[in-house]
Amino acid sequence: RKEVEQDPGPFNVPEGATVAFNCTYSNSASQSFFWYRQDCRKEPKLLMSVYSSGNEDGRFTAQLNRASQYISLLIRDSKLSDSATYLCVVGEGGNKLTFGTGTQLKVEL
Amino acid sequence: DVKVTQSSRYLVKRTGEKVFLECVQDMDHENMFWYRQDPGLGLRLIYFSYDVKMKEKGDIPEGYSVSREKKERFSLILESASTNQTSMYLCASSTPGGGTGELFFGEGSRLTVL
């Protein structure tokens, strides 16, 4: 079983749609959680951290469910510019971050 | 503006050649990392360093070595390149404190080994 699992997609959605991605992790001792965004042929960049209480940044909402060991990312009112691969990242303390393989999102007109 | 610079965007090497991938960061970060990214496998950690002359193995260190002689520079070395090392290599840096999540990546070096 992979340490961090994501549905690879692609998720093809129309502009303005709401889309949600889930990610599951295997290590119950994981301490920190993040979503990164990677555009085609570009490097990953931090999108947002994920806190136990859930957090929101504009159109993006991240949730953490420790009991079920999954993390979610909700994007409302999708824009063409949201098209990218979204990487779920889990930290186990120290310097170790484990990346999921990513979920590809394509927002279409 | 934060900057991590990788010396080569694209390289083509032959099996058995020695390959150096250079990475420089200008943020005075203590931590530096080398990942490789392959389709379906995601980013996998090769080595990381949390201080000058210090290094730690990541998940897939076999066939690689690293060097960190200066704080701003972290080099990845393939002693004898093999075709299964064809990949995208990403360097990253971060501040200490571990698990903060804010890794700053370079643009990547796409290596092809023939």
Side-chain angles (χ1 to χ4, degrees):
Chain A
R1 182 184 173 187
K2 289 182 182 177
E3 293 181 57
V4 179
E5 289 205 62
Q6 296 181 251
D7 182 341
F11 284 59
N12 298 309
V13 302
E15 223 179 354
T18 296
V19 62
F21 310 134
N22 288 330
C23 162
T24 58
Y25 60 94
S26 60
N27 185 352
S28 59
S30 298
Q31 300 176 10
S32 53
F33 309 90
F34 313 91
W35 285 101
Y36 273 68
R37 171 191 169 130
Q38 186 172 24
D39 294 309
C40 188
R41 300 187 183 281
K42 296 283 191 179
E43 72 274 22
K45 293 184 179 179
L46 180 66
L47 177 66
M48 59 196 302
S49 301
V50 187
Y51 303 118
S52 296
S53 54
N55 48 297
E56 190 174 303
D57 183 2
R59 298 181 293 108
F60 298 82
T61 300
Q63 299 272 1
L64 167 63
N65 185 320
R66 284 189 182 272
S68 301
Q69 294 180 211
Y70 79 79
I71 307 148
S72 64
L73 178 67
L74 182 78
I75 305 175
R76 290 182 299 279
D77 188 23
S78 300
K79 312 290 185 190
L80 292 175
S81 57
D82 293 335
S83 297
T85 297
Y86 291 83
L87 304 172
C88 175
V89 183
V90 175
E92 298 172 11
N95 292 302
K96 183 169 173 58
L97 293 175
T98 301
F99 285 75
T101 54
T103 298
Q104 188 178 11
L105 172 65
K106 295 181 180 179
V107 181
E108 302 164 333
L109 286 171
Chain B
D1 201 14
V2 162
K3 193 74 174 176
V4 178
T5 303
Q6 294 184 227
S7 55
S8 305
R9 293 293 306 277
Y10 301 95
L11 303 96
V12 180
K13 298 291 181 181
R14 296 203 176 275
T15 300
E17 279 193 81
K18 191 169 186 176
V19 182
F20 291 89
L21 299 178
E22 304 282 344
C23 175
V24 177
Q25 51 95 2
D26 65 0
M27 297 161 285
D28 201 35
H29 283 168
E30 279 76 8
N31 300 332
M32 295 189 75
F33 306 82
W34 275 106
Y35 289 87
R36 63 178 283 177
Q37 186 173 29
D38 301 287
L41 296 175
L43 277 85
R44 292 178 293 167
L45 182 63
I46 304 171
Y47 267 98
F48 68 95
S49 168
Y50 52 86
D51 202 353
V52 175
K53 297 191 184 294
M54 303 300 286
K55 61 184 178 183
E56 295 280 344
K57 292 181 180 179
D59 298 318
I60 51 163
E62 296 78 20
Y64 303 94
S65 62
V66 290
S67 172
R68 190 154 181 214
E69 296 296 319
K70 293 185 178 181
K71 188 177 184 180
E72 67 270 19
R73 188 179 298 269
F74 192 35
S75 303
L76 181 69
I77 303 148
L78 288 68
E79 292 290 342
S80 177
S82 61
T83 54
N84 63 13
Q85 292 179 310
T86 291
S87 186
M88 170 67 83
Y89 290 87
L90 288 159
C91 174
S93 71
S94 73
T95 54
T100 59
E102 181 82 73
L103 289 178
F104 296 90
F105 285 90
E107 292 184 309
S109 298
R110 184 167 292 282
L111 172 66
T112 301
V113 183
L114 302 175

